[in-house]
Amino acid sequence: MKKFLQACLVFGLLLFVVDKGLYFFIEHAPKKEYDKRLELILNGEMNKDIIILGSSRGANNIAAEQLEKQTGLSTYNLSYRGSNVIFHEFILKTLLKYNKKPEKLLLVIDYENQFLSNHSLHFRYDRLFPLKNYSYINQKLIASDKKNVLSPYLFALKIDRADFNLKPNRVYPINLMTSHGSKLLPPKPNDDLKYIASTSAYDINKEDEEKLASLHSIERICKENNIQLYYVFTPIYKAYNTDFVNRFKNLKSKRASIIFYDTLNTEYRSSDLFRDEAHMFSKGAQIFTSEIAEQIDR
């Protein structure tokens, strides 16, 4: 019995030493990341007057530094490529937990893809994993079944395989950010891009209830915190879906405003401004950002 207890003690000590050694890799994980925005939020360093939320449309099509200069209000772009409205709700809640509230929130809408249940837009857990050493983030991962409930107590249950690679993560050109968080795309010839004049009927039955709930949650949060909410429809190189736009207008609260690009502006019919039907080069972003600055209340 004595030998068994001694063996258990030795095993426990070894487990303790090895587990504590894993902390180095977990603590190093955020240092490999190019995108520091969520970490800045968690550290209370995202105190801005205007916050932009959205997917790649928000990241590419709105120039935050330009908006700041034109409005005189400090501005930052917290749009993440491939992210959905559930993730945007999470970012907003996290922002308010650790930072002062913004005066204005610009939520960029992904047109008919905004609420679809089966779509490439998703919750960006990959942005959370490197920051799992923050208790708040790890608890979110546990609640989402991405981490074990015992992970707060054992580093072995918290660590990911990617953490053992100590090299900085590769940054692709499309992910390069400006000083204010936007990802403005440099222009290049795009002669093959064709304007899409047709649209299809919008099917409400394909909507995800959780995404609808997140939209209403964002509205409620903005109302409770006296944040002026703007829904932003960025320019597209196609005919916009009036079915969805009408559906969205019926969904949104009367308190929230809509910023819609000037459909009569002939510049938006030039393929030189667009990388594809939804994403603009920097020149297009500059034109649209000026429209935003003119439409928001000072």
Side-chain angles (χ1 to χ4, degrees), residues 216-230:
H216 295 314
S217 175
I218 289 172
E219 290 189 337
R220 183 171 60 254
I221 292 169
C222 288
K223 180 180 179 181
E224 291 172 352
N225 290 276
N226 197 29
I227 299 170
Q228 198 166 7
L229 174 60
Y230 296 87

Side-chain angles (χ1 to χ4, degrees), residues 34 81 169-177 183:
Y34 167 73
R81 291 181 60 208
N169 292 329
R170 181 179 178 183
V171 184
Y172 294 92
I174 198 171
N175 285 324
L176 292 174
M177 287 189 298
K183 298 183 178 181

Side-chain angles (χ1 to χ4, degrees), residues 15 19 22 26 154-159:
L15 179 63
D19 191 64
L22 296 176
I26 295 173
L154 285 174
F155 294 121
L157 297 176
K158 186 180 289 185
I159 200 164

Side-chain angles (χ1 to χ4, degrees), residues 31-42:
K31 300 176 182 178
K32 301 187 299 179
E33 298 300 315
Y34 167 73
D35 188 344
K36 305 287 188 181
R37 293 177 295 173
L38 182 51
E39 189 173 11
L40 291 173
I41 293 172
L42 293 167

